[in-house]
Amino acid sequence: MIFYMFALGIEMDPLVLFKRPTRYAQIAYAGTLSTFLIACFTTPFLSYFRPLNKLDFTLSLSTLLSGTASPVLTRLITSFKIGKSDIGKLLIAGGMHSDFLCSLIISIGFIIIPMDMYCLGSSKVDRIDIGKMVATSLSLLAQVLFAAFVSPLFLNWVNNENPEGKPLKGSHLVLSIAFMVLICGMSPWYYYNPILSAFMAGICLPREGRLSKWVITKINYVLTTIFFPIFFLWMGYAADFKKFEGALVGTWVRLVSLVVIAIGSKVAGVVIYGAMVGVNWHESVAIGLLFSIKGHFHIYLAVKVMRCGASTSTGIVMIIAIFFSVVHAPAVVAQIIQRAKKRVPTHRMALQLLDPMRELRILMCVHGPHNVPSSLNLMEITTGTTDPGILIYVTDMIELTPEIAATIEEVEGADTLIVKDRGVVEMRDKITAMFNAYVEEESEGVTIRRTLAIATFTNMAQDITTLAEDLMIALIIVPFHKTQRPSGVLEGGDSGFRYVNRKILRNAPCSVGILVDRGFGTIEKISKLSVSIQVAVIFIGGRDDREALAYASRVSKHTGVKLTVIRFLVDNSSETSIFASHRVPSAKEEEEIRLDDEYFAQFYEKQVVGGRISYMEKHLANSAETFSTLRSFEGQYSLIIIGRGGGVNSILTKGMNDWEQCPELGPIGDVLSGPEFSMSISVLIIQQHRLKGEIDGLDEDFSIM
């Protein structure tokens, strides 16, 4: 418990007591105060303790019931991926405030009410020993001041002597551990509880710095692997159910009362204050239920109380009550997610359905510096208007090898990794420099952020889709697994990246684009003053083609792009189309045709009629004519945007699947990227977000309050 409370103290910020309470703190304090008051007026009548020291134990029990186990609550919130939502932030911050305040009150109250004295079983104990209380207060104050003023100087010196990337020096490590043991181990000299002493010392240590993070990491490892299994074994051993007085009505009254006080009082306080500040009562109830969570320290004290004037039956009642304070938490979080999902449309991650006034979020994946020029040009033409602009998350796709894995370090307190492999660091620095140079020159309307997807090819797609979900990405753009040689031929490429691309297409939470670079990256600068490149979008039909058209509408706003929309229509006068027309289309196909006509009519009226976008129709009879038409585009366009296919069984692409080399590109994309096709036309193949029923989870960044 000394380890546990020391780590808890390091993660607390004592300066919050000297600041104006935030909204999070106010809600937490409201629940804490209501629970404390109700517990103080209720628990004395339930005979939890012997009459001798009832006041002391009542105050202590009321404080414990008022607190929140912030480590348990934080772990629950992060595991359910709502930590970045408004209610998730409130719960984490409010839980920390409540836990810190109650732990601090218990630590200070121990000076006045030293519970260890009552645990000795003496029937006559001096109520207040003024001399000992003053001596303990002064000693604790000296310890706190020493830790507060000396520890920053010492730890900063150790951090400066041991910069990131180098192993900690053994002598400095030994001195640091000895220093922490010193400031935590003074308590036996002045009759103070060592567990609370460790907490008081922990809150005085600086939270930032390499050494503090290292200590928290190691302590959490010890707690998880050694302490918690032994702790729960000890708890089970102490809770002897043979001594549980289940036959007595009073036992169940005390159990129910304790649960009602711990949970009901907290909910009541939060609901009342929530009504005052305008929080919906549904959310207030959920917040109160989650603030009532108790944890390891509460269980520890419940077991200890069996030796401090309470019966084993009472201790078991407390442990069961603590269990009931936690068991409802997953259901409450699930209810929060369910309510949020009703407010947030589940099919918003398609470009076709996005608000044009909303910032476009793109996850731009690159394999290395060779993908950067084409990515920059694609960013440039996608910017459109500077308001609202686009937010680009540039993600390095790096295969995790044993050599790279040996250089990875995990940052404590955040789901981030630091890769110290020299080759990876140099590559990432080079990519970052290239994107930063672009932003410095063309920063208007574009925001760049860097992310990393380092995993084996088996897990990389999952990392990318999870990242896209967490960041609420609307479009993932990945490079084609093949790269073009100087001769113009696409080389074989890396089959691992091809596997990743295909898996992303199956599982992405948003639309996906695959960029086949065949000279698009060689365009040095796309002018914003005059037309410098020709771009075409091919529309045949289906959801993916509609998505490609939606993306093209953003590209058309760039003054340096001349966009041409080419619609492939079936030539009804040909024998092939007459024969095909006798087939009765299914209801799904009729619905797709209707959606195609409606969306294209809207696009034509908004975009083409104004004259900025050129429009062309091609009446074709079969896939052979489609292929020859595509061949005629040679030398006309720098980039062609096409939908992957969308499952539309069109006569114009029928049979193309028979000679597909890369099915992930769709029939048209595969032809345009084929070795016998143009060596200078790049292709962007877009697949619209596939919504597979009700989504399982929810993005972290959402609002419910």
Side-chain angles (χ1 to χ4, degrees):
M1 287 306 299
I2 293 175
F3 277 119
Y4 178 83
M5 295 301 289
F6 182 62
L8 182 66
I10 294 179
E11 295 178 350
M12 299 293 183
D13 182 12
L15 297 179
V16 297
L17 296 177
F18 305 100
K19 299 177 182 177
R20 183 178 180 180
T22 62
R23 184 191 185 195
Y24 303 154
Q26 292 171 10
I27 295 178
Y29 294 158
T32 301
L33 181 61
S34 64
T35 307
F36 181 81
L37 293 176
I38 294 176
C40 283
F41 287 107
T42 308
T43 53
F45 303 101
L46 297 174
S47 301
Y48 287 102
F49 311 102
R50 60 189 179 188
L52 179 61
N53 305 313
K54 184 171 287 187
L55 176 61
D56 305 333
F57 280 111
T58 297
L59 293 174
S60 301
L61 178 60
S62 300
T63 305
L64 288 172
L65 291 175
S66 305
T68 302
S70 60
V72 179
L73 180 60
T74 302
R75 177 64 62 88
L76 178 75
I77 296 301
T78 54
S79 64
F80 277 92
K81 297 177 63 176
I82 64 170
K84 292 185 180 179
S85 65
D86 54 355
I87 194 169
K89 293 175 182 176
L90 186 149
L91 287 168
I92 292 175
M96 292 286 283
H97 280 285
S98 177
D99 201 1
F100 173 65
L101 181 63
C102 292
S103 299
L104 187 62
I105 291 174
I106 291 174
S107 301
I108 297 175
F110 188 88
I111 301 174
I112 304 172
I113 311 173
M115 289 296 176
D116 285 355
M117 297 176 62
Y118 303 109
C119 294
L120 298 176
S122 175
S123 59
K124 293 182 179 180
V125 180
D126 293 336
R127 301 300 296 171
I128 298 179
D129 188 337
I130 300 296
K132 184 176 291 187
M133 185 178 69
V134 172
T136 303
S137 301
L138 294 176
S139 301
L140 181 62
L141 179 62
Q143 176 191 1
V144 169
L145 292 176
F146 178 80
F149 289 101
V150 177
S151 60
L153 300 176
F154 178 77
L155 295 185
N156 288 336
W157 172 74
V158 175
N159 290 328
N160 293 332
E161 292 293 320
N162 298 270
E164 292 285 351
K166 294 184 179 180
L168 283 168
K169 297 178 182 178
S171 58
H172 292 166
L173 190 58
V174 171
L175 285 174
S176 302
I177 295 175
F179 176 78
M180 294 178 187
V181 170
L182 174 65
I183 61 175
C184 292
M186 297 178 179
S187 57
W189 296 346
Y190 52 89
Y191 307 104
Y192 189 70
N193 187 283
I195 296 174
L196 301 179
S197 174
F199 174 77
M200 295 297 290
I203 62 176
C204 297
L205 262 67
R207 294 182 297 164
E208 302 299 329
R210 183 183 182 188
L211 194 60
S212 296
K213 295 176 181 178
W214 179 87
V215 169
I216 294 175
T217 301
K218 297 305 179 184
I219 289 180
N220 286 335
Y221 177 77
V222 171
L223 293 175
T224 304
T225 57
I226 300 176
F227 169 71
F228 288 151
I230 298 176
F231 174 79
F232 288 110
L233 177 65
W234 172 72
M235 179 193 72
Y237 178 78
D240 187 358
F241 273 85
K242 294 179 181 178
K243 300 180 181 179
F244 182 66
E245 300 169 347
L248 300 179
V249 177
T251 301
W252 298 103
V253 171
R254 288 195 294 272
L255 173 59
V256 174
S257 300
L258 208 59
V259 174
V260 172
I261 294 171
I263 299 178
S265 303
K266 186 80 72 170
V267 172
V270 173
V271 169
I272 293 173
Y273 187 79
M276 295 170 57
V277 297
V279 179
N280 188 289
W281 73 270
H282 290 95
E283 282 67 55
S284 295
V285 171
I287 293 169
L289 289 172
L290 293 175
F291 273 165
S292 66
I293 287 177
K294 304 297 182 286
H296 305 88
F297 186 52
H298 303 87
I299 295 176
Y300 172 80
L301 293 178
V303 176
K304 293 288 287 184
V305 83
M306 297 179 190
R307 307 172 188 175
C308 300
S311 64
T312 302
S313 181
T314 300
I316 294 175
V317 164
M318 292 182 177
I319 294 174
I320 295 175
I322 291 170
F323 169 77
F324 279 114
S325 74
V326 179
V327 69
H328 62 268
V332 174
V333 176
Q335 185 66 24
I336 292 173
I337 294 176
Q338 185 177 356
R339 283 179 53 78
K341 285 164 65 175
K342 291 180 180 179
R343 301 185 182 186
V344 180
T346 58
H347 198 174
R348 299 302 298 175
M349 291 298 100
L351 299 176
Q352 181 185 344
L353 302 176
L354 285 180
D355 183 356
M357 299 306 297
R358 175 183 171 184
E359 181 184 56
L360 176 61
R361 294 187 171 201
I362 298 178
L363 190 68
M364 185 78 69
C365 301
V366 294
H367 299 160
H370 61 280
N371 296 135
V372 175
S374 59
S375 300
L376 290 174
N377 286 334
L378 195 64
M379 283 169 44
E380 173 63 35
I381 65 173
T382 309
T383 304
T385 58
T386 57
D387 185 18
I390 60 175
L391 174 58
I392 303 290
Y393 289 89
V394 180
T395 304
D396 303 311
M397 300 172 66
I398 300 174
E399 181 188 6
L400 182 62
T401 62
E403 293 77 13
I404 295 177
T407 66
I408 292 179
E409 291 185 6
E410 185 174 357
V411 178
E412 178 64 27
D415 297 329
T416 56
L417 299 175
I418 297 178
V419 184
K420 297 186 177 180
D421 180 81
R422 177 170 294 182
V424 173
V425 172
E426 291 178 354
M427 184 194 74
R428 297 201 72 208
D429 289 345
K430 186 175 181 180
I431 293 173
T432 302
M434 296 171 74
F435 276 98
N436 287 342
Y438 168 81
V439 172
E440 290 176 2
E441 184 178 356
E442 305 286 347
S443 60
E444 192 173 4
V446 181
T447 303
I448 301 290
R449 294 178 183 171
R450 296 284 278 124
T451 57
L452 174 65
I454 179 166
T456 61
F457 286 135
T458 304
N459 300 321
M460 186 178 294
Q462 181 179 356
D463 288 356
I464 292 174
T465 54
T466 301
L467 188 64
E469 187 176 3
D470 292 343
L471 299 174
M472 296 199 73
I473 297 298
L475 177 63
I476 300 174
I477 296 179
V478 294
F480 191 42
H481 69 279
K482 297 181 181 180
T483 55
Q484 192 172 28
R485 297 175 181 173
S487 61
V489 179
L490 289 173
E491 63 181 6
D494 194 326
S495 59
F497 284 119
R498 182 185 184 187
Y499 171 79
V500 173
N501 290 353
R502 298 175 75 170
K503 201 169 180 180
I504 291 174
L505 289 169
R506 289 196 301 269
N507 303 312
C510 59
S511 297
V512 181
I514 298 180
L515 178 60
V516 183
D517 181 16
R518 307 191 79 170
F520 192 60
T522 60
I523 302 174
E524 293 185 0
K525 185 175 177 60
I526 300 176
S527 174
K528 291 184 178 180
L529 302 177
S530 59
V531 175
S532 56
I533 65 168
Q534 298 282 339
V535 178
V537 54
I538 299 175
F539 186 87
I540 299 177
R543 62 167 64 182
D544 291 345
D545 281 15
R546 295 195 296 271
E547 191 76 349
L549 206 60
Y551 176 79
S553 65
R554 292 179 177 266
V555 174
S556 66
K557 297 176 183 179
H558 195 287
T559 53
V561 175
K562 179 61 177 178
L563 181 68
T564 302
V565 178
I566 306 171
R567 187 173 189 183
F568 287 3
L569 297 171
V570 178
D571 186 1
N572 294 321
S573 62
S574 65
E575 295 181 1
T576 307
S577 59
I578 292 174
F579 176 78
S581 64
H582 292 291
R583 188 180 69 85
V584 179
S586 64
K588 183 178 180 180
E589 290 175 341
E590 288 184 345
E591 178 66 15
E592 284 294 315
I593 293 172
R594 184 186 66 81
L595 292 174
D596 289 341
D597 292 339
E598 288 182 358
Y599 188 73
F600 195 87
Q602 295 175 4
F603 178 85
Y604 187 90
E605 183 178 353
K606 292 180 180 179
Q607 307 288 348
V608 179
V609 173
R612 263 200 50 79
I613 299 178
S614 300
Y615 175 64
M616 185 187 307
E617 288 184 359
K618 296 289 184 180
H619 294 267
L620 310 172
N622 49 45
S623 58
E625 293 188 9
T626 301
F627 183 82
S628 61
T629 302
L630 295 175
R631 291 294 298 267
S632 67
F633 295 157
E634 172 69 35
Q636 297 186 41
Y637 306 104
S638 300
L639 177 68
I640 293 180
I641 304 170
I642 185 69
R644 181 171 177 251
V648 177
N649 184 21
S650 173
I651 188 177
L652 302 182
T653 58
K654 188 176 182 180
M656 286 186 174
N657 298 338
D658 298 339
W659 63 76
E660 273 185 337
Q661 295 183 2
C662 298
E664 65 270 21
L665 302 181
I668 302 296
D670 185 73
V671 169
L672 293 173
S673 307
E676 70 284 350
F677 203 72
S678 170
M679 303 295 180
S680 60
I681 297 180
S682 299
V683 189
L684 179 63
I685 301 96
I686 294 181
Q687 172 187 278
Q688 192 181 71
H689 175 215
R690 303 288 198 254
L691 188 68
K692 299 179 180 178
E694 187 72 13
I695 58 176
D696 297 326
L698 196 70
D699 297 306
E700 289 191 7
D701 187 8
F702 70 91
S703 177
I704 189 174
M705 298 173 64

